[in-house]
Every structure is written in C-alpha cells, then in structure tokens.
Amino acid sequence: MTDFLDKTVPNPKPLLFLTAFAFLLVSLNPSFYADDSAETITAAVLLGLPHPPGYPLYTLLSHLFTALPLGGFGFRVNLLSALLAALNVPLLFSILKKWAGLRDVWAFPLSLFWVVGATTYPGALSAKTGIYELTAVFILAVLGALLEKRWEWAGFLFGLAFANHWMTFLVMAPGFLFFAFSPARRENPLGLVRGLAGFVLGLSPYLFLPLRGIHAPLLNWGDPVTLSSFWFDLTRGQYQKAEADGTWAAWGAQAWYLLKNYFLEWPGLFLAALAGIFWAWRDKTLGVAGLLIGWFLLLASLSFYLNLDSERFYLLGGYALASQALLLIFAGFALSLAPDFEDWKRFAAAGLFLALAGLGVWRWSQDRQTHYTYAYDYTLNTFAELPRNSLFYARGDSLIFPAWYFQWVEKRRPDVAWVGVDGLPMDWIRATLAHSHPDLHVPETRQKMGNESIPTLMKWMVQKNNDRPLFISFDKIDPQIIPGDSLRIEGLVQRASPDTKKGPVPDLSALDQELIWNRMRTRHWKDGDPVDDRTALFFANNYASDRNLLGLLAEDDGDAWMARAKGKSTGPYFSTAQEAYGLALYD
C-alpha cells in the first residue's frame, strides 16, 4: 500500500484535483446561501461592482462561469468555488512533498483534508466563500513560487492576490517577505526588481472598478469613477469606523473564537500542526518563522481590528479560511517525523485514509448543500406577499441581496420598489432605484449623508410615493416616518398604514401558529436534507419575530379582539426563538 501511489501513479496531482472536485460537485449549492452569495452572483452576471473592496478579480472570473450552459446562474458561480477549492488540493500536495518532504502515500490524503474541513468544505459550495478559496489558492501558489525562487511569478501572483482580497495579503505581507529573503532564498537585487514589476502587473484587475463604474451597472457599489470614490471603495472606508471601534472584551471573544475554529477544523490536526511547527523550527527556522509571522498578523488583525457581535462571529471563520492551509502544511512537518519502518508506514497511511473517508462522509451527511434553496425560496415567498407596485422597506442582507438578484438578473417583480433602507444614504442606491423605477420619486442631494439621514429619506419617499402601498420587513417603523402608523402583518411582511382605521384588519386565523410557518416553508425543509445552524436560526428568528408581532397587535387591539382570536388558535404561543427553532425543525 505504501508504494502503490509511488509506483502506479507517477503524477497524483490530476487524480487529486478530480477526486476533490467530484466530491464537491455532489455537494454543491444549486442557488445561493443566506449570506452575500446572492450579491456575488448578481455581480458575476451583470459584471457589476459588489460591496467594498469590489473583488475585481473574482468578479471577472465568476462572470466567465455564468456563460456555462449548466443549471442556473447560482450553480454556475458556485461551480467556480468548487473548482478553486479542488485546485488547492494539488497545490498543497506539491508543498507537502517539496518542503515538508512527505511521501506520496501521506501527502495524498493529507492534502485531500482540505475539502473536508469544517469551514473549507462549506466554503467550497457557494459563491461568496469562493473568494476565500481563491485567497487560499494564492497563499499556496505564492509559497510555491518562493520555494522555487521564481521571483517574478511570486510578485505577479501576490499582485493578483491583492486584486482578490487585499486585506488578507496586506497583513500577511511581512511574513511572505521574511520568507522570501531568508538566506536559503535570498536573491540579487534584480530578482527584487522582477518581483516588484510582477506585483504591479498583478494589480491590473483593479482597473476594472472605474472602467466598469463609468457604465453605471445596476450593481455599482460606491460608483468608483473618481479617484476619491475609488480610494474610499478600495480601502473600505464605509466600514472603518464600525470595525475599528472594539473593546478588549470583544477582541478577546473574537480571538478565542478563532482559536476554537482552528482546533475544530480537522479534529486532532491542530495538535499535529503545533508539533510540526516545533520540529520544523529547528530545521527550517527562517522559512517557518515567515509563515508564522504572516499567520500571527492575520489572527491579530481579525481579533483586534474587527468589532463583531457574537451572532456574526461566523464571519471570522470565512476570513480565516485561507490560513487553514498553513495548518495542513505544519501538520505535514509532524508526519515527516514518522519512523521509517514499513509496518508503521502501512498503519499510519491506512489510518490517515480512514480518517479522511470518515470525515468526508460526515461532512457530506451534515453540511452538503445539494438542496439548499432556503434563501432563494424565502425571498420569493416575500415577493409573493406584496401587491403590485408596492413600496417595500427591507433590512438585512439575506433579503436585500436576493431581491437584487431576482429583480436585476431573473427580472422578477420589477413593479415592486424594494428599498434596502440602510443603503439609502448611498448615491448609487438611489440612482439605481430611479433607473429601475422611472415613476418612483427618489430623493436627490449633493450632500454627503450618514445613517442619521435614513429616517428623513424614508419619510420623504413615503410622502412622495403615497400612491404605492407601503410594506416593511421589520417589526417597527419610526412614527416620524408615518405618524400614528399602524402595522398589520400579512404573511411574511407588515403593511404600514398612516391611519389605524384604514389599516386592514388581519385575518384572525393569522394567529394560528401554522399559518406563518406555512408561508415561510421552502422546498426540501422536510426531505431529510441537512440545514446548517445559521440558516435554521435565520428562519427561527424571523418566525419568532412574526409570532411576537402578532401578539403585540392582538394586545393593542384589546381584550375583546383577543377573546375572538383565542377560539381560532390551534396551539400554544411560542414566546422564544429557541421554541420556534424547535418547531421549525421538527413540526
């Protein structure tokens, strides 16, 4: 067994790629996940500009995949994520062999662990996380080029990496530079010049942002056509105040989450990686130090720059996804310490292959997304609740981004003025609304606006578009926007009326716990397909919110109304998200 790969498969890398890609292909999401994936797919189809920093390289690559005659647009862009994840496997194999000195029989299964990780596996199944899979590709490709002393290629790949996700590579740059100029790889000044030239050339995809912005695509985040707007978009100026405003408690919680994330990615391999670092430090001190510097700086930036609430810690897993490749490399150093006995080799190789197969089966059973249509169906169900020519105020990326996809890509419900209210201060949002709905009155101003302007803009639009029925996706609307407002739940949305007497009286059967949930139903929810915790919690929170609103409305309408409603109810009220979560999964 230990000699099979060496003698039978002279170049295992194509087999590795095909094995990984086939496993991911039978796990792939057919639509989009409940994150930024709908926005990513919309940008790919329209050649649009997604949220900062614009991800120009990934947008261009994903646009090519939208031309494939396979499935819907979501599946095609998700296919790119799977391909990039599969590409990481042979890249890992090469580094494990060349730098860690592993034999094929160990490097083969260890590199395949990439596609069965707790974050790397789901990261390969949907559009947005393909950006992080591409980041991992560049980490491994730059490292491989440096090992081969290919300075111009290392610089060029590093520039392309910046055009994909510059934040990761900026903080890891000192580590790569330390690695590049350690004595084992030190080169003459001409090598540095070639590397710098390659880096500048690799940055060229950023020209896509202003060149495409000139044509004002529907998705034109930041409209980066001037130097100031381009720089604001590139440096993510929109988020800097919120992100760089954490506390020691928040930083500590984020650091702890990241450490747990590394420990649980592949059970046991984190400890092996620590042992590998200790051994490799003695033999390859400066090279290992370079990777550790880059790794530490990435962890520090994620822990001490970001300021996330606990419900958004899952973002840390995505941001750190690419650095999981370093964990596998260091685990490879630990494996290289294995005794050189034939019986031990057979035992260790068999154990590694069995662990890989077992983890792969587990991941597929728990985390595959072959029938994942929850975010897709929920947004369509929301559209179905809205009468023609509605003005719909929405909050939450899991609603707004899919709405962009449906209206701009699939051309569904163009009559609905779907307004993401938190984006109203952005000029491009209002410009796109005016373009998409010529009869809609949209405020125009040359003044820079912040979030404090949102209620004023919402009120102006309500007053100027009073011929459109108004609906909202959230539980409460500021009375300054609609004085004396009345909210009436209508399925998955709330109708807002400026006069309680004119507000439609809800069907009393709406108090039935089943009605709301039935409207939220999506395909495959009961078909035995896995639903990840994040998606289930999204549904549970929405369900609990609507149930709570029904209770508030009943309370506001008085005891008599409540008494009439009581006879219509067929089950107990659910007062917490956790109870609603149980109903959502098992009812």
Side-chain angles (χ1 to χ4, degrees):
M1 177 179 177
T2 56
D3 295 328
F4 174 78
L5 285 170
D6 295 318
K7 294 180 178 179
T8 311
V9 187
N11 182 12
K13 287 186 280 189
L15 178 60
L16 276 167
F17 173 81
L18 292 173
T19 301
F21 187 66
F23 176 65
L24 298 174
L25 192 59
V26 298
S27 311
L28 205 59
N29 192 318
S31 57
F32 43 75
Y33 188 73
D35 58 0
D36 298 349
S37 288
E39 179 207 16
T40 304
I41 296 165
T42 302
V45 178
L46 302 179
L47 264 184
L49 308 182
H51 68 269
Y55 309 107
L57 180 62
Y58 190 80
T59 299
L60 291 168
L61 288 174
S62 57
H63 181 69
L64 297 177
F65 275 71
T66 62
L68 294 174
L70 299 169
F73 288 119
F75 180 84
R76 299 173 196 180
V77 180
N78 296 338
L79 198 63
L80 172 61
S81 298
L83 184 145
L84 293 169
L87 184 58
N88 279 310
V89 176
L91 289 172
L92 271 166
F93 178 83
S94 294
I95 292 174
L96 289 170
K97 283 202 67 178
K98 292 176 182 177
W99 200 32
L102 285 188
R103 293 183 58 184
D104 286 6
V105 73
W106 288 332
F108 192 96
L110 186 59
S111 58
L112 278 171
F113 268 88
W114 180 261
V115 293
V116 297
T119 60
T120 58
Y121 173 63
L125 306 181
S126 60
K128 174 58 190 292
T129 41
I131 293 170
Y132 309 127
E133 295 284 355
L134 182 56
T135 302
V137 168
F138 283 124
I139 286 177
L140 295 171
V142 170
L143 182 56
L146 290 175
L147 287 170
E148 296 287 342
K149 299 184 181 180
R150 302 288 299 274
W151 311 110
E152 63 280 0
W153 275 106
F156 178 65
L157 291 168
F158 205 80
L160 286 178
F162 260 67
N164 176 59
H165 199 265
W166 67 261
M167 298 81 75
T168 296
F169 282 86
L170 179 65
V171 297
M172 294 187 72
F176 275 109
L177 289 172
F178 191 93
F179 185 94
F181 294 103
S182 62
R185 278 162 291 278
R186 189 169 293 160
E187 187 56 89
N188 57 46
L190 186 59
L192 177 60
V193 172
R194 293 200 306 267
L196 288 174
F199 175 73
V200 173
L201 181 61
L203 293 175
S204 58
Y206 273 116
L207 294 173
F208 168 72
L209 297 182
L211 292 176
R212 183 57 179 153
I214 291 171
H215 296 279
L218 289 172
L219 179 51
N220 186 26
W221 202 304
D223 191 21
V225 295
T226 65
L227 185 60
S228 60
S229 61
F230 174 81
W231 184 250
F232 187 79
D233 192 57
L234 177 64
T235 58
R236 303 174 75 252
Q238 178 179 339
Y239 308 117
Q240 285 178 4
K241 183 177 180 181
E243 290 179 344
D245 192 29
T247 63
W248 283 104
W251 295 336
Q254 289 172 168
W256 179 243
Y257 181 91
L258 282 168
L259 287 175
K260 289 191 297 181
N261 186 67
Y262 281 113
F263 189 83
L264 297 174
E265 185 72 20
W266 299 283
L269 281 185
F270 184 70
L271 297 178
L274 293 179
I277 291 171
F278 177 77
W279 176 84
W281 185 272
R282 299 168 57 189
D283 188 52
K284 311 172 190 292
T285 304
L286 293 177
V288 172
L291 293 189
L292 287 177
I293 289 170
W295 198 0
F296 174 79
L297 290 175
L298 178 64
L299 294 181
S301 67
L302 293 176
S303 300
F304 303 116
Y305 175 76
L306 295 176
N307 181 29
L308 303 173
D309 56 69
S310 58
E311 292 185 358
R312 300 176 68 223
F313 275 6
Y314 61 84
L315 292 172
L316 294 170
Y319 297 154
L321 184 152
S323 64
Q324 301 286 0
L326 303 181
L327 190 151
L328 287 176
I329 292 171
F330 289 130
F333 282 120
L335 274 179
S336 68
L337 295 173
D340 197 21
F341 301 130
E342 196 63 30
D343 289 342
W344 166 255
K345 291 176 184 176
R346 291 194 184 99
F347 176 78
L352 207 55
F353 274 102
L354 285 174
L356 172 67
L359 194 55
V361 170
W362 171 256
R363 294 289 184 225
W364 188 85
S365 68
Q366 299 297 311
D367 298 324
R368 72 184 186 275
Q369 297 182 17
T370 48
H371 293 78
Y372 192 105
T373 60
Y374 310 117
Y376 186 99
D377 290 351
Y378 185 83
T379 308
L380 281 184
N381 291 343
T382 303
F383 266 122
E385 305 284 2
L386 299 170
R388 286 194 59 80
N389 299 317
S390 300
L391 175 61
F392 183 52
Y393 282 156
R395 276 200 167 102
D397 295 346
S398 296
L399 267 181
I400 295 167
F401 293 162
W404 291 353
Y405 171 80
F406 285 121
Q407 290 195 314
W408 301 344
V409 175
E410 295 194 2
K411 309 299 182 184
R412 299 200 192 203
R413 293 304 304 269
D415 58 292
V416 174
W418 190 301
V419 181
V421 295
D422 294 323
L424 275 175
M426 292 188 280
D427 293 339
W428 79 269
I429 287 281
R430 288 178 280 112
T432 298
L433 277 171
H435 175 81
S436 303
H437 306 281
D439 60 330
L440 184 72
H441 296 283
V442 180
E444 296 182 11
T445 177
R446 295 182 180 178
Q447 296 177 337
K448 286 290 184 183
M449 293 183 292
N451 291 339
E452 71 282 352
S453 66
I454 292 175
T456 302
L457 294 170
M458 291 173 67
K459 181 178 181 179
W460 189 95
M461 288 191 67
V462 169
Q463 293 173 341
K464 299 296 183 180
N465 297 281
N466 57 14
D467 57 327
R468 286 178 175 259
L470 176 63
F471 291 81
I472 65 173
S473 71
F474 34 95
D475 294 346
K476 186 177 181 181
I477 193 165
D478 193 323
Q480 294 181 5
I481 299 171
I482 306 180
D485 71 286
S486 170
L487 290 182
R488 285 294 180 263
I489 190 166
E490 296 191 6
L492 304 182
V493 298
Q494 283 71 251
R495 180 190 287 267
S497 171
D499 189 334
T500 351
K501 296 180 180 179
K502 294 180 180 178
V505 177
D507 181 356
L508 297 184
S509 64
L511 283 177
D512 186 333
Q513 63 190 16
E514 280 296 298
L515 182 63
I516 302 174
W517 178 244
N518 284 337
R519 288 177 180 266
M520 292 176 65
R521 296 262 191 220
T522 67
R523 293 169 285 170
H524 318 300
W525 194 270
K526 282 189 172 181
D527 291 349
D529 295 296
V531 183
D532 65 283
D533 291 342
R534 180 178 163 194
T535 301
L537 188 60
F538 167 73
F539 272 79
N541 285 339
N542 284 348
Y543 178 81
S545 175
D546 284 350
R547 291 282 300 160
N548 182 61
L549 182 60
L550 277 176
L552 292 175
L553 293 176
E555 183 179 355
D556 290 344
D557 282 344
D559 294 338
W561 195 88
M562 189 68 175
R564 291 173 57 201
K566 188 176 180 181
K568 298 283 185 176
S569 180
T570 60
Y573 289 94
F574 285 75
S575 58
T576 68
Q578 185 176 6
E579 291 172 333
Y581 177 73
L583 174 68
L585 287 180
Y586 306 116
D587 177 56

